[in-house]
Amino acid sequence: MTLRIEAADLWHISIRLKGSFETSFGVELDREAIVIRVRADTLAGWGECVAGAYPGYSYETARTAWHVLGDFLLPAVLGVSISGAAELPSLVQRIRGHPLAKAGLEMALWDLFGHAQGKSLSLLLGGVRDRVPVGVSVGIQPDAPALLGAVHAYLGHGYRRVKIKIRPGADLDRVQALREAFPILPLQVDANSAYELKDAGIFEAMDDLNLLLIEQPLAEDDILDHVRLQALLKTRLCLDETILTGRHALQAIEAKACGVINIKAARVGGFTEAVHIHDLCRARGVPVWCGGMLETGIGRAANLALASLPGFVLPGDISASERYYAEDLAYPLFTLNSDSTIDVPSAPGLGIEVDPRAVERFSLRHAELRASAKGPI
Ligand code: OSB
Ligand code: MG
């Protein structure tokens, strides 16, 4: 089946988190994103581009994604007949970088084709599970007691795996305090590139705390120092920001820079590349798990579908909807099962209903592009 992409909408949204989320690169309270809708025939597909207000995790922002989507990516698909979302990477191959923008558009195309074929995204990607194990990612707290309180509350909600964000000055003492309070809790840390190899002593001191993994301790473009750090530790390093392509994943694995990879479709330019990375990790026995970007219900549905693939053997950063926003953009909301899993949507496409009025309410600006009116917006 081929579909001619006739029109697309972009909404630049700002949606307030229930509580601010602090990482080593900053504090986020109002989450910006670009919501994308593509249309073909009588069908629509929705996507979420997770580029935010500030270029901390990625160089992309909602504003750069607006520019790249509107001026380059959408003109490459509008008016074009395509037979599946997996064709997008080749259509936009010549546009360098901007994986978050590309992934948001690919998500909308997956949703569109899922509806056209009556198949869920999980089914289209090769998912094998109808519920996936999840954990919670806890932002940097003002002090150790606040962190213990926050973790205690999340355990009360039923989460059975906890990740805490760390940064220089808020690291070893926090992890030690947590480990003392919760001796057998599956626990991992995420530094978001905040350290250098000279800080290795901090990670060596964490090595006996039985962490599941240490995520992205060093700079995103530094595979070699991750190799050196990994050689000092028995705890597995996990790469997030470093891995933008399958090639990066292969090189990091072969060099022994990490023992685990965090897969985010957004960071690698879409689900096609995410599945490719999953497949090559699985073939080499490298465990993967699904990362998160504080998505609305649109991106969360897509993450659940990705996490249903067989190589996703560690719990994902995919918490229940109510952990993030007072009001979401898509329904039904995702809830945590008593075994710290979330159900994978089984309805066609993303398997959710987007509420266009909610999208409008959180919208800072909207643009509509049509096949007949290609070009800059
Ligand atoms: O590094 O995993 C990360 C959120 C924003 C940017 C980067 C990261 C995160 C998270 C949030 O850890 C995970 C979630 O969506 O719950
Ligand atoms: Mg991370």
Side-chain angles (χ1 to χ4, degrees), residues 327-359:
E327 190 191 348
D328 212 311
L329 304 180
Y331 296 89
L333 298 175
F334 296 107
T335 55
L336 191 68
N337 299 318
S338 59
D339 58 351
S340 194
T341 64
I342 297 182
D343 294 346
V344 177
S346 57
L350 294 175
I352 41 146
E353 242 1 283
V354 177
D355 178 359
R357 281 161 315 170
V359 175

Side-chain angles (χ1 to χ4, degrees), residues 4-200:
R4 181 175 183 269
I5 310 303
E6 281 151 14
D9 295 88
L10 300 175
W11 289 267
H12 179 174
I13 62 157
S14 174
I15 178 167
R16 175 151 292 194
L17 287 159
K18 278 189 173 174
S20 59
F21 188 78
E22 181 168 352
T23 62
S24 61
F25 53 79
V27 185
E28 196 154 17
L29 178 58
D30 292 302
R31 174 88 196 142
E32 289 189 25
I34 306 289
V35 173
I36 301 153
R37 182 177 64 188
V38 291
R39 280 180 286 157
D41 203 354
T42 57
L43 299 165
W46 292 86
E48 174 176 356
C49 164
V50 297
Y54 183 81
Y57 171 81
S58 161
Y59 61 81
E60 293 182 78
T61 66
R63 284 166 180 276
T64 70
W66 178 275
H67 161 52
V68 171
L69 280 158
D71 291 344
F72 306 113
L73 298 174
L74 287 172
V77 300
L78 284 167
V80 177
S81 291
I82 62 178
S83 57
E87 279 181 21
L88 182 67
S90 62
L91 288 172
V92 301
Q93 199 180 355
R94 286 160 50 177
I95 300 164
R96 187 185 297 266
H98 300 279
L100 275 49
K102 289 172 180 168
L105 176 55
E106 214 202 85
M107 190 190 301
L109 293 173
W110 282 107
D111 188 37
L112 181 75
F113 279 92
H115 282 113
Q117 299 170 7
K119 290 181 180 164
S120 71
L121 180 58
S122 170
L123 197 66
L124 291 174
L125 297 179
V128 295
R129 280 188 279 262
D130 60 8
R131 41 173 49 194
V132 296
V134 301
V136 64
S137 172
V138 183
I140 295 167
Q141 303 294 314
D143 51 35
L147 175 62
L148 289 184
V151 169
H152 190 262
Y154 282 122
L155 296 178
H157 292 140
Y159 293 103
R160 293 203 199 142
R161 185 284 261 157
V162 170
K163 156 171 144 182
I164 66 162
K165 294 288 189 179
I166 58 169
R167 64 163 161 76
D171 44 37
L172 184 58
D173 54 331
R174 307 281 177 98
V175 188
Q176 282 168 334
L178 257 186
R179 187 40 97 212
E180 210 166 291
F182 306 104
I184 58 164
L185 171 67
L187 180 64
Q188 61 195 59
V189 297
D190 186 359
N192 286 114
S193 309
Y195 296 86
E196 295 174 35
L197 189 60
K198 66 176 167 51
D199 305 314

Side-chain angles (χ1 to χ4, degrees), residues 57 163 165 190 192 215-216 240-241 262 264 289 317:
Y57 171 81
K163 156 171 144 182
K165 294 288 189 179
D190 186 359
N192 286 114
E215 186 177 346
Q216 198 67 45
D240 176 352
E241 286 91 319
N262 163 329
K264 294 177 183 170
W289 57 286
D317 272 352

